[in-house]
């Protein structure tokens, strides 16, 4: 809050995910997944992979992040943690490959 005090608020992570994929923005209260707050840094509503288009969202926090891809009927979220030797690039590669696979089998 403006006066630096705290106030309890219920966060729906499902709503956070839905808002990120449909609008590319965090809902009021921020973008939370897995109990951690992230900042949405990139939103691509028509990301092309091969012949398919997907919605891609990238969100980050210090040394961690998440790549989110929607096939239209499914949402894939891949998390990475640099302190565990995981990279954003590898995470994106795997998440987009899985999204392309799902789209190819009808999802």
């Amino acid at each position: 809050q403006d006066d630096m005090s705290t106030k309890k608020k219920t966060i729906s992570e499902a709503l956070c995910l839905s808002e990120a994929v449909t609008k590319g923005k965090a809902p009021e209260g921020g973008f939370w997944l897995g109990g951690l707050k992230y900042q949405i840094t990139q939103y691509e509503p028509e990301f092309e992979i091969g012949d398919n288009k997907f919605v891609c969202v990238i969100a980050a926090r210090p040394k961690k992040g998440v790549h989110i891809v929607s096939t239209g009927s499914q949402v894939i979220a891949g998390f990475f943690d640099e302190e565990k030797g995981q990279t954003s690039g590898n995470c994106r590669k795997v998440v987009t490959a899985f999204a392309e696979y799902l789209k190819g089998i009808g999802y």
Side-chain angles (χ1 to χ4, degrees):
Q1 296 190 52
D2 292 337
D3 63 1
M4 303 307 276
S5 64
T6 59
K7 178 177 152 183
K8 284 195 174 212
K9 180 176 174 110
T10 302
I11 300 291
S12 167
E13 293 187 2
L15 176 64
C16 288
L17 199 52
S18 176
E19 292 278 311
V21 169
T22 57
K23 299 177 183 173
K25 296 180 181 177
E28 184 179 330
F31 183 67
W32 293 78
L33 290 176
L36 299 174
K37 189 173 184 180
Y38 291 84
Q39 185 74 34
I40 295 175
T41 57
Q42 190 173 346
Y43 175 66
E44 296 180 59
E46 293 195 14
F47 182 73
E48 290 186 32
I49 303 171
D51 294 335
N52 300 305
K53 289 186 180 180
F54 301 90
V55 175
C56 290
V57 179
I58 301 172
R61 60 177 285 114
K63 301 200 181 255
K64 296 182 182 189
V66 58
H67 287 267
I68 301 161
V69 178
S70 172
T71 66
S73 67
Q74 306 296 310
V75 176
I76 303 114
F79 294 83
F80 67 92
D81 185 340
E82 292 174 358
E83 291 181 348
K84 294 180 180 178
Q86 301 161 348
T87 65
S88 175
N90 284 344
C91 181
R92 182 177 182 122
K93 184 176 171 183
V94 171
V95 170
T96 55
F98 188 54
E100 190 172 22
Y101 164 76
L102 288 176
K103 194 75 163 182
I105 60 170
Y107 290 98

